[in-house]
Amino acid sequence: MIVPGSSSQQLAAALAAEAGRALATPTYDRFPDGERLAAVPDFDADEAVIVATTDSDEAWVELLQIQDAVREAGATDVTTVIPYMGYARQDASFGDGEPVSARAMARAVSTGTDRVRLVNPHEASVADFFDVPVEAVDAAAALADPLPTDLADPLFLSPDEGAIDVAATVRDAYGAGETDFFEKHRDRETGAVAVSPSDATVADRDVVVVDDIIATGSTMSESVAVLADRGAARVLTACVHPVLVANAVTKLRAAGVDRILGSDTVERGCSVVSVAPALADALD
Ligand code: R5P
C-alpha cells in the first residue's frame, strides 16, 4: 500500500497508479499547541511504501509519525521513499559546533523503515548516513520530455561542476547539444551567489540551465542573467527538485528565464514531469 506524506500527495497517487498498488488515505492534523498528528486510519496491509518529501521540519515529523503508524497498524515491511530530502545539503559540519544535519535526519528515519529510496540526492554520499539499505533513483532524464523540440544549437549548462552529471543526463535524454558548467561562489553569510561564465559561446543559442535543486533561485537567476547578458537566445531552467522558496520564481522571471521546468519531487506549479515511473522501477 502506498502511503503519502502531505507534501507528496500527487506523486504518491501517480506512483500507486504506475505500480498498480492501493493508495492509503492518511489524515494530517494538528493539536492546538501546534503538535502534529499524522495517522493512517484505512491502512490495512503487510507492506507499506511511504512517499514523503521532507521539504520542511513539519514534513520530517510527519514522516516519523507515519512510519510509526503503519507499524502500529500491522505493516511488517516498510519502504520509505524520500523524493526530495531536505537537510541533505548539510552533509558535513561546516563550522565550529555545527551538526551534520543530514546524518541526524537519516538516522532518525532509519529507525522506522527497512529500506530507503532517495530521488537524486544532492550528494550520493548522503546514503552512507542511513542505517538501512538505500537506493538512489536518478530521475533527471525525464526533464528532457517537456523541452521544446526545436532548441537552437542547444547548450546544457550546470551552474557549478557538481551538477554537470545532471546536465549531461538531460542532454543525453534530449539527444542533442553540448554540455558545460559555470564556476559558482556562494557567500555563506549573505547567501549571495556569483557565477563565473565558462568559455562556451552562447550568443543566439538556446541554453538549458540544469541543476539538481532550485531553492532560493539565487544560483539560477544569476546564471540566467549572465547568459542573457551574453546574448543567449532562450534561457530555460530545469531542475529535479523545484523547492522554489520565497521569491525564487520572481527572481528567475526578472532575470529573463523563458521557462522553469521541474519534477514532482516537490509539488509546485512548474512540476511538469513525474518521477513516478522511475520510482515504480525502483520498487520492483
Ligand atoms: C548546490 O550545490 C545545488 O546544486 C544548487 O545549486 C543550490 O542548492 C541552489 O540553491 P539556490 O536556489 O538557493 O541558489
Side-chain angles (χ1 to χ4, degrees):
M1 208 167 192
I2 306 286
V3 186
S6 60
S7 298
S8 297
Q9 296 182 54
Q10 300 276 13
L11 172 56
L15 178 58
E18 190 79 31
R21 302 198 189 201
L23 182 66
T25 312
T27 55
Y28 316 108
D29 292 318
R30 192 186 278 278
F31 288 104
D33 62 0
E35 287 186 358
R36 304 186 75 83
L37 177 61
V40 291
D42 66 347
F43 183 83
D44 181 19
D46 295 332
E47 186 190 4
V49 178
I50 302 168
V51 182
T53 267
T54 52
D55 57 343
S56 67
D57 294 349
E58 289 83 357
W60 279 108
V61 172
E62 187 184 276
L63 171 55
L64 296 177
Q65 289 184 321
I66 292 173
Q67 288 180 323
D68 203 73
V70 295
R71 292 267 194 223
E72 190 68 18
T76 54
D77 186 277
V78 179
T79 299
T80 299
V81 177
I82 306 180
Y84 167 69
M85 180 181 169
Y87 287 92
R89 289 177 292 175
Q90 293 188 47
D91 57 357
S93 177
F94 293 105
D96 284 348
E98 291 190 8
V100 182
S101 301
R103 182 179 61 200
M105 299 301 166
R107 285 177 175 167
V109 164
S110 297
T111 62
T113 194
D114 296 294
R115 65 196 70 79
V116 169
R117 300 286 181 265
L118 301 173
V119 180
N120 290 85
H122 180 59
E123 296 285 349
S125 56
V126 78
D128 300 338
F129 293 143
F130 292 82
D131 298 320
V132 292
V134 176
E135 184 182 322
V137 177
D138 186 355
L143 292 169
D145 295 345
L147 289 173
T149 53
D150 63 346
L151 289 177
D153 193 11
L155 176 65
F156 293 83
L157 184 109
S158 60
D160 58 39
E161 194 170 1
I164 187 66
D165 289 348
V166 187
T169 298
V170 178
R171 190 276 313 269
D172 291 349
Y174 186 74
E178 293 180 322
T179 58
D180 203 348
F181 61 89
F182 280 167
E183 301 288 339
K184 178 171 97 177
H185 173 75
R186 186 192 297 272
D187 184 311
R188 195 158 185 246
E189 295 299 316
T190 65
V193 169
V195 294
S196 311
S198 68
D199 295 332
T201 303
V202 300
D204 302 322
R205 301 177 72 179
D206 287 333
V207 183
V208 184
V209 193
V210 184
D211 208 346
D212 58 338
I213 306 166
I214 306 178
T216 65
S218 296
T219 302
M220 275 297 191
S221 58
E222 281 298 309
S223 302
V224 171
V226 165
L227 291 161
D229 200 45
R230 296 173 75 200
R234 289 179 290 183
V235 183
L236 301 84
T237 62
C239 69
V240 179
H241 308 298
V243 179
L244 294 171
V245 297
N247 61 351
V249 171
T250 303
K251 283 158 69 174
L252 283 161
R253 291 292 178 208
V257 75
D258 179 85
R259 214 169 295 189
I260 306 169
L261 304 170
S263 87
D264 55 359
T265 61
V266 187
E267 297 180 1
R268 297 283 187 260
C270 68
S271 300
V272 291
V273 299
S274 182
V275 302
L279 282 175
D281 288 346
L283 293 181
D284 289 340

